[in-house]
Amino acid sequence: MFVRERTQRPVDLRSHLERAFEQPAVSVDFAGFSGETLHGAMSEPLDKVRDGRLRPASITVRLLVPDPEQPWTLPARVEDLADSPAFRKRAARIMERHTLAIVDAVTELADLGLIPATTVELRTFPAVPLFKLYVLNESEVFFGYYPVQEHTVTLDNQPTPIWDLMGKDTTLFHHAADVDEESLASQYVRQSRMWFDSIWNSVARDLPR
């Protein structure tokens, strides 16, 4: 008889993020393609901070996205797998729309005097992630792979088939550190934090604004 190992079920990032904002010190690290999912998930807890239902003492956010000024291996044109500068320009607008909205929303909390200390930083790095990673309060990790699918977009007024990274189809899995530092979950969180910091402190660069 074979026993199939049970995998963790997909989780709801939004509810965990809201619970993270109940802590005195909130930290959110994100590495991924555009930050669109994070932007949506952070809207409700940030609204609750504004109206006083949540009141952390500090919020630290770090956002890590691919550099749209450098050629990408993916997404790529279907016909020849070539980089598309027009697609990168389009993707840059999407990235900026969501990541800069997060930057502005968190900064506003400090400007309004609602949070004593806020830090929010946005950096690019010279690679395209094939996964998205969230680290909440240095103790929880959410990880999921981007499926690659053919997707037709309008570039330079022409329908263009692209092998695209479909972030909305990503299933996230959750790992939370526990009291046992050698448990699988604790090691996963520790290694995820190490990977993020290694990119952030080496090849990542502040996005010019």
Side-chain angles (χ1 to χ4, degrees), residues 10 12 18 30 57 63 99 124 132 134 147 160 199 201 207:
D12 174 27
E18 188 165 332
F30 165 76
L63 307 170
T99 56
T124 63
K132 59 172 65 177
Y134 307 83
T160 306
I199 300 295
N201 295 320
L207 182 69

Side-chain angles (χ1 to χ4, degrees), residues 29-46:
D29 289 338
F30 165 76
F33 195 71
S34 70
E36 181 176 0
T37 299
L38 180 62
H39 180 203
M42 288 189 69
S43 297
E44 188 167 349
L46 290 177

Side-chain angles (χ1 to χ4, degrees), residues 43-54:
S43 297
E44 188 167 349
L46 290 177
D47 285 343
K48 289 186 176 182
V49 172
R50 289 188 192 93
D51 64 23
R53 285 179 288 168
L54 293 174

Side-chain angles (χ1 to χ4, degrees), residues 30-34 64-67 74 95 125 127-133 146 165 195:
F30 165 76
F33 195 71
S34 70
L64 193 57
V65 294
D67 185 353
L74 280 173
M95 288 180 195
F125 68 114
V128 176
L130 300 181
F131 59 86
K132 59 172 65 177
L133 172 72
Y146 288 122
L165 304 175
W195 178 87

Side-chain angles (χ1 to χ4, degrees), residues 37-169:
T37 299
L38 180 62
H39 180 203
M42 288 189 69
S43 297
E44 188 167 349
L46 290 177
D47 285 343
K48 289 186 176 182
V49 172
R50 289 188 192 93
D51 64 23
R53 285 179 288 168
L54 293 174
R55 191 55 60 86
S58 67
I59 299 175
T60 301
V61 179
R62 297 188 296 177
L63 307 170
L64 193 57
V65 294
D67 185 353
E69 298 299 321
Q70 299 194 28
W72 291 346
T73 52
L74 280 173
R77 295 197 307 245
V78 169
E79 61 178 357
D80 55 6
L81 296 182
D83 169 64
S84 171
F87 185 90
R88 283 189 280 115
K89 184 177 180 180
R90 173 183 180 272
R93 291 196 300 268
I94 297 173
M95 288 180 195
E96 291 174 358
R97 180 165 68 247
H98 294 291
T99 56
L100 294 181
I102 294 172
V103 171
D104 291 342
V106 175
T107 301
E108 181 187 41
L109 298 178
D111 293 342
L112 294 174
L114 298 176
I115 302 296
T118 62
T119 301
V120 55
E121 298 176 272
L122 172 59
R123 293 184 181 180
T124 63
F125 68 114
V128 176
L130 300 181
F131 59 86
K132 59 172 65 177
L133 172 72
Y134 307 83
V135 183
L136 305 186
N137 290 352
E138 301 185 348
S139 61
E140 293 185 272
V141 164
F142 300 81
F143 179 92
Y145 296 101
Y146 288 122
V148 177
Q149 298 177 9
E150 184 173 337
H151 177 52
T152 299
V153 296
T154 300
L155 301 175
D156 296 329
N157 298 318
Q158 295 293 327
T160 306
I162 292 286
W163 290 117
D164 202 356
L165 304 175
M166 308 304 289
K168 292 182 179 179
D169 295 330

